[in-house]
Amino acid sequence: GKHVADVGCGDGGLVRYLARKGAKAVGIDPQPGQLERARAVPSVGGEQYLQAGAQALPFEDGALDAVIFFNSLHHLPLELMDTGLMEACRCLKSGGTLYVLEPLAEGPWFTFMRPVDDETFVRAKAEEALRRAAALPGFKQTARKEYVSANDYRSFADLKVDILSIDPARQDAFQRHETQLRAAFDTAADEILEDGTHRFWSPYRATVFQKAA
């Protein structure tokens, strides 16, 4: 029954998970291609998808129980990271939760993708924005945890579709390095499962905030 927004929802996987758990889930993404992928999957619980940027969320003040940035804050333009977090705070009810998951600039997956999009700088800037958010009045950091998670791809073609859907600006760099990436796809994977799925383990950091009354 909670009203939850996933900002930077991509193909809607997390939105559908939330909807299955009973949330009134809304996916937000600025990329039409990502929203097209999300809407192509049959609805599981009345979830919705809206095109918008994190800097201007389409919700009234205090409308949401939770806002999630799942692997998306570092994709915002640098000048909009603080604004995006402030927008999340604006949209939250008193006692509402902001959950931000960010990838760390390390590990095999990061090394593999670095020729296409070296995110060392933007990931560091996202971390700085989170630290500034923790200092905002009425906004309390309640938890912080690091863990590893898997990026799974059945084929190199699936990887290409996913990477370019997330950020179409990667197209030129991907084309320049595609031969190199394709050749390294097998050896760079941490595991190749029995069904051929290539698994890349990546480190992440989750930061949780609560909006005060």
Side-chain angles (χ1 to χ4, degrees):
K2 301 295 186 181
H3 195 179
V4 184
D6 178 16
V7 181
C9 67
D11 65 3
L14 179 57
V15 178
R16 291 187 290 276
Y17 174 84
L18 293 166
R20 290 190 192 99
K21 295 294 184 180
K24 298 174 184 177
V26 182
I28 303 295
D29 206 287
Q31 299 286 352
Q34 290 287 64
L35 295 174
E36 184 177 344
R37 295 172 69 197
R39 290 168 177 155
V41 180
S43 175
V44 299
E47 64 274 19
Q48 296 179 301
Y49 299 99
L50 302 174
Q51 184 175 354
Q55 73 277 12
L57 296 177
F59 303 104
E60 299 292 334
D61 295 359
L64 302 174
D65 294 288
V67 176
I68 300 171
F69 284 78
F70 198 88
N71 202 17
S72 59
L73 180 62
H74 66 280
H75 288 295
L76 271 62
L78 299 181
E79 67 276 10
L80 295 181
M81 289 183 181
D82 290 329
T83 305
L85 294 174
M86 289 288 289
E87 265 290 273
C89 184
R90 177 189 67 78
C91 295
L92 285 172
K93 298 176 180 177
S94 295
T97 299
L98 170 64
Y99 180 99
V100 183
L101 178 76
E102 278 292 297
L104 304 183
E106 57 189 67
W109 173 250
F110 175 75
T111 301
F112 177 69
M113 286 305 305
R114 198 168 187 173
V116 173
D117 192 357
D118 186 349
E119 295 183 336
T120 304
F121 180 73
V122 293
R123 294 185 187 186
K125 289 299 181 182
E127 173 63 18
E128 291 175 13
L130 288 172
R131 293 185 183 279
R132 287 192 293 271
L136 290 174
F139 211 38
K140 180 182 179 182
Q141 181 178 305
T142 59
R144 193 165 166 86
K145 183 177 182 179
E146 294 184 6
Y147 64 95
V148 294
S149 185
N151 296 311
D152 288 350
Y153 294 99
R154 291 293 301 272
S155 67
F156 183 80
D158 288 345
L159 177 149
K160 181 177 180 179
V161 168
D162 186 56
I163 294 303
L164 297 184
S165 296
I166 292 171
D167 187 354
R170 294 168 170 168
Q171 178 76 42
D172 291 344
F174 198 98
Q175 287 183 341
R176 289 197 304 273
H177 296 281
E178 184 166 357
T179 300
Q180 169 192 341
L181 294 171
R182 190 181 295 273
F185 184 57
D186 288 343
T187 56
D190 292 286
E191 301 177 58
I192 299 179
L193 308 185
E194 290 185 2
D195 64 356
T197 296
H198 288 55
R199 174 163 291 174
F200 299 81
W201 289 101
S202 297
Y204 292 88
R205 179 185 293 119
T207 308
V208 183
F209 301 88
Q210 185 176 43
K211 183 176 180 178

